[in-house]
Amino acid sequence: MEILAFGVQSDEKPLIEKAFAGKHEVRCLDVFLNRDTAPIAAGYEIISTSVNADLGGAVLQTLAAGGTQLIAQRSTGFNNIDLDVAERLALRVARVSYYSPYSVAEFAWTLAMAVNRRVIRAAGRTRDFDFRLDGLLGRDMHGRTVGVIGTGKIGEAFTRIAHGFGMKLLGWDVAENPACVGLGMRYVDKEQLLAEADLVSLHVPLLPATHHLIDKDALALMKDDAILVNSSRGGLIDTSALVVELRAGRFLGVGLDVYEAEAGLFFLDKSLEGVDDTLARLVTFPNVIVTSHQAYYTEDAVGQIIDATVKNVDDYLAGRRSDNVLVPARPEA
């Protein structure tokens, strides 16, 4: 059987081909799945998609009409998939429920320290042989307070690093993580966390209840010299409200690996095209770093994602169901 994989990065392609070798043929495309590209999947029973795929109702209908029966998404998040439509169309949908939490947690800290220590500005200066220190003043993390919003596997990994820095730990989640409590974390309400934290890092999924979790009111609660990091999902932050606060001179730094309107932008070369006004304004602030949803992008994490995707395909063909299945599309063996 030949499997069609959409949105495959050049680094991923040899890993995907190696993982499927001896089992199935795989056709890797660098284009992302959307309304325009969905017809390419006609005749493919199994397709694999990336995190930025458009799996709304119209695309799902095109896939179902073309004979697709399994969608194996290579990500944990699935806010881009209309699961109700998928179930109605008898499409089976699977995701990757787990991969290295260290990849994202370590990158979140990379963003935090890069804005804290003005690394981008410093590197830009030294390329011009400008070795002044003016404007590069950072601060110690030791002894300061970190607020971790979402203390699941990634949030816990982020917390362990914060503990290593010697920080005071505040957490907010629907349930306490005993491992974080064991590190000395105090769970408080969101408002207290935002008001007291010197660094706030987001590690919750994007759900209706968490959309714009950090809105203008939440931003107003934060310290003027706080650092805000988001390596989870762009829709957690009201970006327009964030721009307003940045224009007012607030925040020591902001590190964003995700953006709420990133679909159709991230993972693509837009250097010769225009982007939306909010993102264009955001990247002009000297205390802001925006990266292109790369926190997960390590050899370890990508390898685990691909291995889980292969297993999802094998489970489908064997009629098995695992925890990765979001929508079952056929009777289980």
Side-chain angles (χ1 to χ4, degrees):
M1 178 177 293
E2 186 176 37
I3 298 160
L4 182 63
F6 284 93
V8 177
Q9 304 295 315
S10 59
D11 296 326
E12 289 180 286
K13 185 177 178 180
L15 300 177
I16 290 176
E17 291 175 339
K18 181 179 179 181
F20 278 103
K23 292 188 173 185
H24 310 286
E25 297 294 325
V26 59
R27 178 186 175 194
C28 295
L29 302 179
D30 59 2
V31 298
F32 295 94
L33 179 62
N34 54 39
R35 291 192 182 199
D36 295 329
T37 60
I40 300 173
Y44 286 91
E45 180 179 345
I46 301 173
I47 69 167
S48 178
T49 59
S50 62
V51 65
N52 269 2
D54 174 3
L55 285 163
V59 171
L60 292 174
Q61 288 174 7
T62 300
L63 294 175
T68 296
Q69 295 184 40
L70 170 66
I71 300 168
Q73 176 143 295
R74 303 187 306 278
S75 74
T76 297
F78 52 90
N79 54 284
N80 61 319
I81 308 173
D82 191 327
L83 298 179
D84 292 333
V85 172
E87 186 168 18
R88 189 164 65 248
L89 294 171
L91 287 166
R92 183 172 177 132
V93 180
R95 61 160 178 163
V96 176
S97 58
Y98 174 85
Y99 60 84
S100 168
Y102 309 109
S103 61
V104 179
E106 290 171 5
F107 193 82
W109 268 108
T110 300
L111 290 174
M113 295 307 296
V115 295
N116 175 37
R117 302 305 301 268
R118 315 298 190 191
V119 172
I120 302 300
R121 178 183 292 181
R125 283 185 183 178
T126 56
R127 284 180 181 273
D128 295 328
F129 303 107
D130 177 354
F131 302 107
R132 293 172 301 157
L133 297 181
D134 295 340
L136 303 183
L137 189 67
R139 63 188 184 187
D140 292 357
M141 286 298 179
H142 178 83
R144 286 190 160 81
T145 299
V146 63
V148 185
I149 295 183
T151 56
K153 292 182 176 66
I154 296 173
E156 179 187 331
F158 183 90
T159 300
R160 290 187 181 279
I161 299 171
H163 181 261
F165 273 109
M167 301 187 76
K168 300 172 185 175
L169 309 175
L170 297 180
W172 179 84
D173 208 330
V174 293
E176 295 186 3
N177 183 334
C180 292
V181 173
L183 293 171
M185 174 174 279
R186 287 192 302 119
Y187 280 84
V188 297
D189 60 43
K190 184 182 71 174
E191 291 72 23
Q192 182 179 347
L193 181 150
L194 292 171
E196 295 183 10
D198 299 295
L199 164 62
V200 175
S201 191
L202 308 182
H203 301 285
V204 295
L206 180 59
L207 305 167
T210 59
H211 181 255
H212 284 183
L213 184 71
I214 306 300
D215 57 13
K216 65 177 184 178
D217 294 331
L219 292 166
L221 290 171
M222 294 178 63
K223 296 179 178 181
D224 288 344
D225 62 350
I227 294 172
L228 174 63
V229 172
N230 185 11
S231 58
S232 184
R233 288 293 183 268
L236 299 176
I237 296 178
D238 182 341
T239 316
S240 296
L242 176 60
V243 168
V244 171
E245 297 298 318
L246 289 165
R247 290 184 65 184
R250 300 192 64 222
F251 305 131
L252 176 67
V254 175
L256 304 175
D257 185 50
V258 287
Y259 173 58
E260 59 182 321
E262 69 182 54
L265 292 174
F266 283 18
F267 306 147
L268 299 171
D269 181 1
K270 294 292 182 178
S271 59
L272 299 179
E273 303 175 34
V275 298
D276 67 82
D277 291 345
T278 302
L279 179 58
R281 183 68 182 92
L282 191 63
V283 299
T284 64
F285 292 102
N287 58 333
V288 174
I289 295 177
V290 178
T291 52
S292 53
H293 206 140
Q294 70 180 84
Y296 79 98
Y297 206 54
T298 67
E299 292 180 4
D300 310 81
V302 171
Q304 291 167 2
I305 288 169
I306 292 171
D307 289 345
T309 301
V310 173
K311 185 177 185 303
N312 287 340
V313 171
D314 290 343
D315 286 345
Y316 163 76
L317 294 172
R320 296 187 297 263
R321 180 178 179 179
S322 72
D323 292 339
N324 287 341
V325 175
L326 297 170
V327 178
R330 64 193 240 186
E332 309 300 339

